[in-house]
Short mmCIF file of all heavy atoms in Angstrom, two decimals:
data_model
loop_
_atom_site.label_atom_id
_atom_site.label_comp_id
_atom_site.label_asym_id
_atom_site.label_seq_id
_atom_site.Cartn_x
_atom_site.Cartn_y
_atom_site.Cartn_z
N ILE A 1 -13.87 21.62 -19.16
CA ILE A 1 -13.47 22.63 -20.15
C ILE A 1 -14.65 22.96 -21.06
O ILE A 1 -15.30 22.07 -21.60
CB ILE A 1 -12.30 22.13 -21.00
CG1 ILE A 1 -11.03 21.99 -20.16
CG2 ILE A 1 -12.07 23.04 -22.21
CD1 ILE A 1 -10.34 23.29 -19.86
N SER A 2 -14.92 24.25 -21.24
CA SER A 2 -15.98 24.71 -22.15
C SER A 2 -15.48 25.90 -22.96
O SER A 2 -14.86 26.82 -22.41
CB SER A 2 -17.24 25.13 -21.38
OG SER A 2 -17.81 24.05 -20.68
N PHE A 3 -15.74 25.88 -24.26
CA PHE A 3 -15.48 27.03 -25.13
C PHE A 3 -16.12 26.76 -26.49
O PHE A 3 -16.39 25.61 -26.85
CB PHE A 3 -13.98 27.33 -25.28
CG PHE A 3 -13.20 26.24 -25.98
CD1 PHE A 3 -12.96 26.28 -27.34
CD2 PHE A 3 -12.68 25.18 -25.25
CE1 PHE A 3 -12.23 25.29 -27.97
CE2 PHE A 3 -11.95 24.18 -25.86
CZ PHE A 3 -11.72 24.23 -27.23
N ASP A 4 -16.38 27.81 -27.24
CA ASP A 4 -16.90 27.72 -28.60
C ASP A 4 -15.86 28.28 -29.56
O ASP A 4 -15.10 29.19 -29.21
CB ASP A 4 -18.19 28.53 -28.76
CG ASP A 4 -19.35 27.96 -27.96
OD1 ASP A 4 -19.26 26.80 -27.53
OD2 ASP A 4 -20.34 28.70 -27.77
N VAL A 5 -15.85 27.75 -30.78
CA VAL A 5 -15.01 28.29 -31.85
C VAL A 5 -15.93 28.66 -33.01
O VAL A 5 -16.66 27.82 -33.51
CB VAL A 5 -13.95 27.27 -32.34
CG1 VAL A 5 -13.13 27.87 -33.48
CG2 VAL A 5 -13.03 26.86 -31.19
N ARG A 6 -15.91 29.93 -33.39
CA ARG A 6 -16.76 30.40 -34.47
C ARG A 6 -16.17 30.04 -35.83
O ARG A 6 -14.96 30.00 -36.00
CB ARG A 6 -16.95 31.91 -34.38
CG ARG A 6 -17.62 32.38 -33.11
CD ARG A 6 -17.72 33.89 -33.05
NE ARG A 6 -16.39 34.50 -33.14
CZ ARG A 6 -16.20 35.81 -33.21
NH1 ARG A 6 -17.23 36.65 -33.24
NH2 ARG A 6 -14.97 36.30 -33.28
N GLN A 7 -17.06 29.80 -36.78
CA GLN A 7 -16.62 29.49 -38.13
C GLN A 7 -15.81 30.67 -38.70
O GLN A 7 -16.18 31.81 -38.57
CB GLN A 7 -17.81 29.21 -39.04
CG GLN A 7 -17.43 28.81 -40.44
CD GLN A 7 -18.62 28.31 -41.24
OE1 GLN A 7 -19.66 27.99 -40.68
NE2 GLN A 7 -18.46 28.24 -42.55
N GLY A 8 -14.65 30.35 -39.30
CA GLY A 8 -13.81 31.37 -39.89
C GLY A 8 -12.80 31.99 -38.96
O GLY A 8 -12.04 32.86 -39.37
N ASP A 9 -12.74 31.53 -37.72
CA ASP A 9 -11.78 32.06 -36.76
C ASP A 9 -10.54 31.18 -36.66
O ASP A 9 -10.57 29.99 -36.99
CB ASP A 9 -12.41 32.18 -35.37
CG ASP A 9 -13.13 33.50 -35.16
OD1 ASP A 9 -13.17 34.32 -36.11
OD2 ASP A 9 -13.68 33.72 -34.06
N ILE A 10 -9.47 31.78 -36.17
CA ILE A 10 -8.29 31.04 -35.74
C ILE A 10 -8.28 31.11 -34.22
O ILE A 10 -8.23 32.20 -33.64
CB ILE A 10 -7.00 31.66 -36.30
CG1 ILE A 10 -7.01 31.63 -37.84
CG2 ILE A 10 -5.77 30.93 -35.76
CD1 ILE A 10 -5.90 32.44 -38.48
N CYS A 11 -8.37 29.96 -33.58
CA CYS A 11 -8.42 29.88 -32.12
C CYS A 11 -7.16 29.20 -31.61
O CYS A 11 -6.85 28.07 -32.00
CB CYS A 11 -9.66 29.11 -31.66
SG CYS A 11 -9.77 28.88 -29.86
N GLY A 12 -6.42 29.88 -30.75
CA GLY A 12 -5.21 29.33 -30.16
C GLY A 12 -5.48 28.77 -28.77
O GLY A 12 -6.17 29.40 -27.97
N ILE A 13 -4.94 27.58 -28.51
CA ILE A 13 -5.03 26.96 -27.18
C ILE A 13 -3.65 27.03 -26.55
O ILE A 13 -2.68 26.49 -27.10
CB ILE A 13 -5.48 25.49 -27.26
CG1 ILE A 13 -6.75 25.34 -28.11
CG2 ILE A 13 -5.67 24.91 -25.87
CD1 ILE A 13 -7.98 25.94 -27.50
N ILE A 14 -3.53 27.70 -25.42
CA ILE A 14 -2.23 27.86 -24.77
C ILE A 14 -2.29 27.31 -23.36
O ILE A 14 -3.35 27.12 -22.78
CB ILE A 14 -1.77 29.33 -24.75
CG1 ILE A 14 -2.73 30.19 -23.90
CG2 ILE A 14 -1.68 29.88 -26.17
CD1 ILE A 14 -2.20 31.61 -23.65
N GLY A 15 -1.11 27.08 -22.81
CA GLY A 15 -0.99 26.60 -21.44
C GLY A 15 0.38 25.99 -21.23
O GLY A 15 1.02 25.55 -22.18
N PRO A 16 0.85 25.94 -19.99
CA PRO A 16 2.15 25.34 -19.69
C PRO A 16 2.17 23.85 -20.04
O PRO A 16 1.13 23.24 -20.31
CB PRO A 16 2.32 25.56 -18.18
CG PRO A 16 1.33 26.60 -17.82
CD PRO A 16 0.19 26.47 -18.78
N ASN A 17 3.36 23.24 -20.04
CA ASN A 17 3.46 21.80 -20.25
C ASN A 17 2.59 21.06 -19.24
O ASN A 17 2.58 21.39 -18.05
CB ASN A 17 4.92 21.34 -20.08
CG ASN A 17 5.78 21.73 -21.27
OD1 ASN A 17 5.29 21.81 -22.39
ND2 ASN A 17 7.05 21.98 -21.02
N GLY A 18 1.87 20.05 -19.73
CA GLY A 18 1.02 19.27 -18.84
C GLY A 18 -0.32 19.90 -18.53
O GLY A 18 -1.07 19.40 -17.69
N ALA A 19 -0.65 21.00 -19.22
CA ALA A 19 -1.91 21.71 -18.93
C ALA A 19 -3.14 20.95 -19.40
O ALA A 19 -4.24 21.16 -18.89
CB ALA A 19 -1.89 23.11 -19.56
N GLY A 20 -2.97 20.07 -20.40
CA GLY A 20 -4.11 19.32 -20.93
C GLY A 20 -4.42 19.62 -22.38
O GLY A 20 -5.44 19.17 -22.91
N LYS A 21 -3.54 20.37 -23.05
CA LYS A 21 -3.81 20.80 -24.43
C LYS A 21 -3.91 19.61 -25.39
O LYS A 21 -4.85 19.51 -26.18
CB LYS A 21 -2.71 21.76 -24.89
CG LYS A 21 -2.54 22.99 -24.02
CD LYS A 21 -1.51 23.95 -24.57
CE LYS A 21 -0.12 23.35 -24.65
NZ LYS A 21 0.43 23.02 -23.31
N THR A 22 -2.93 18.72 -25.33
CA THR A 22 -2.95 17.56 -26.23
C THR A 22 -4.09 16.62 -25.88
O THR A 22 -4.70 16.01 -26.77
CB THR A 22 -1.60 16.82 -26.18
OG1 THR A 22 -0.57 17.71 -26.64
CG2 THR A 22 -1.61 15.58 -27.07
N THR A 23 -4.41 16.49 -24.60
CA THR A 23 -5.56 15.67 -24.20
C THR A 23 -6.84 16.21 -24.84
O THR A 23 -7.68 15.45 -25.33
CB THR A 23 -5.70 15.65 -22.67
OG1 THR A 23 -4.53 15.08 -22.09
CG2 THR A 23 -6.92 14.85 -22.24
N LEU A 24 -6.98 17.53 -24.85
CA LEU A 24 -8.14 18.16 -25.49
C LEU A 24 -8.18 17.82 -26.98
O LEU A 24 -9.24 17.43 -27.51
CB LEU A 24 -8.09 19.67 -25.28
CG LEU A 24 -9.16 20.49 -26.00
CD1 LEU A 24 -10.55 20.10 -25.53
CD2 LEU A 24 -8.92 21.98 -25.79
N PHE A 25 -7.06 17.95 -27.67
CA PHE A 25 -7.00 17.60 -29.09
C PHE A 25 -7.34 16.14 -29.31
O PHE A 25 -8.02 15.79 -30.29
CB PHE A 25 -5.60 17.90 -29.64
CG PHE A 25 -5.52 19.19 -30.41
CD1 PHE A 25 -6.31 20.27 -30.07
CD2 PHE A 25 -4.64 19.34 -31.46
CE1 PHE A 25 -6.24 21.46 -30.76
CE2 PHE A 25 -4.57 20.51 -32.18
CZ PHE A 25 -5.36 21.58 -31.83
N ASN A 26 -6.88 15.28 -28.43
CA ASN A 26 -7.18 13.85 -28.58
C ASN A 26 -8.66 13.56 -28.39
O ASN A 26 -9.18 12.61 -28.98
CB ASN A 26 -6.34 13.03 -27.59
CG ASN A 26 -4.89 12.93 -28.00
OD1 ASN A 26 -4.53 13.16 -29.15
ND2 ASN A 26 -4.02 12.60 -27.05
N CYS A 27 -9.35 14.37 -27.61
CA CYS A 27 -10.81 14.23 -27.49
C CYS A 27 -11.49 14.69 -28.78
O CYS A 27 -12.42 14.03 -29.27
CB CYS A 27 -11.33 15.05 -26.31
SG CYS A 27 -10.87 14.42 -24.69
N LEU A 28 -11.02 15.80 -29.34
CA LEU A 28 -11.63 16.33 -30.56
C LEU A 28 -11.44 15.40 -31.74
O LEU A 28 -12.29 15.33 -32.63
CB LEU A 28 -11.05 17.71 -30.87
CG LEU A 28 -11.34 18.82 -29.85
CD1 LEU A 28 -10.57 20.08 -30.19
CD2 LEU A 28 -12.83 19.11 -29.79
N SER A 29 -10.31 14.69 -31.78
CA SER A 29 -10.06 13.76 -32.89
C SER A 29 -10.47 12.34 -32.53
O SER A 29 -10.20 11.41 -33.30
CB SER A 29 -8.58 13.81 -33.30
OG SER A 29 -7.72 13.61 -32.20
N ARG A 30 -11.12 12.17 -31.38
CA ARG A 30 -11.72 10.90 -30.95
C ARG A 30 -10.69 9.82 -30.60
O ARG A 30 -11.01 8.64 -30.55
CB ARG A 30 -12.71 10.38 -31.99
CG ARG A 30 -13.93 11.27 -32.19
CD ARG A 30 -14.83 11.33 -30.95
NE ARG A 30 -15.53 10.07 -30.74
CZ ARG A 30 -15.34 9.26 -29.69
NH1 ARG A 30 -14.49 9.56 -28.74
NH2 ARG A 30 -16.04 8.14 -29.59
N LEU A 31 -9.45 10.24 -30.33
CA LEU A 31 -8.48 9.28 -29.79
C LEU A 31 -8.82 8.96 -28.34
O LEU A 31 -8.55 7.86 -27.86
CB LEU A 31 -7.06 9.85 -29.89
CG LEU A 31 -6.52 10.06 -31.31
CD1 LEU A 31 -5.16 10.73 -31.26
CD2 LEU A 31 -6.44 8.73 -32.05
N TYR A 32 -9.38 9.95 -27.64
CA TYR A 32 -9.87 9.76 -26.27
C TYR A 32 -11.37 10.02 -26.23
O TYR A 32 -11.89 10.81 -27.02
CB TYR A 32 -9.21 10.75 -25.29
CG TYR A 32 -7.73 10.60 -25.06
CD1 TYR A 32 -7.02 11.62 -24.45
CD2 TYR A 32 -7.05 9.45 -25.44
CE1 TYR A 32 -5.66 11.52 -24.21
CE2 TYR A 32 -5.68 9.33 -25.22
CZ TYR A 32 -4.99 10.37 -24.61
OH TYR A 32 -3.65 10.27 -24.38
N THR A 33 -12.04 9.36 -25.30
CA THR A 33 -13.44 9.63 -25.01
C THR A 33 -13.52 10.31 -23.64
O THR A 33 -13.05 9.75 -22.65
CB THR A 33 -14.27 8.34 -25.00
OG1 THR A 33 -14.23 7.75 -26.30
CG2 THR A 33 -15.72 8.63 -24.63
N PRO A 34 -14.07 11.52 -23.56
CA PRO A 34 -14.14 12.22 -22.27
C PRO A 34 -14.93 11.43 -21.23
O PRO A 34 -15.85 10.68 -21.57
CB PRO A 34 -14.85 13.52 -22.62
CG PRO A 34 -14.64 13.70 -24.09
CD PRO A 34 -14.61 12.32 -24.67
#
């Protein structure tokens, strides 16, 4: 997965159940290590 978020933006992450959205958040908050 690759993407950038610009300062001052609202970025929405969408996808069906099981798509990996929460896994991505857990990487960003360091609950998971990629």
Side-chain angles (χ1 to χ4, degrees):
I1 292 283
S2 297
F3 65 94
D4 293 344
V5 178
R6 299 177 301 175
Q7 183 170 344
D9 273 2
I10 299 170
C11 177
I13 309 292
I14 64 170
N17 285 329
K21 303 183 298 296
T22 297
T23 299
L24 174 61
F25 259 32
N26 286 341
C27 290
L28 295 173
S29 54
R30 295 294 289 115
L31 294 176
Y32 294 165
T33 297

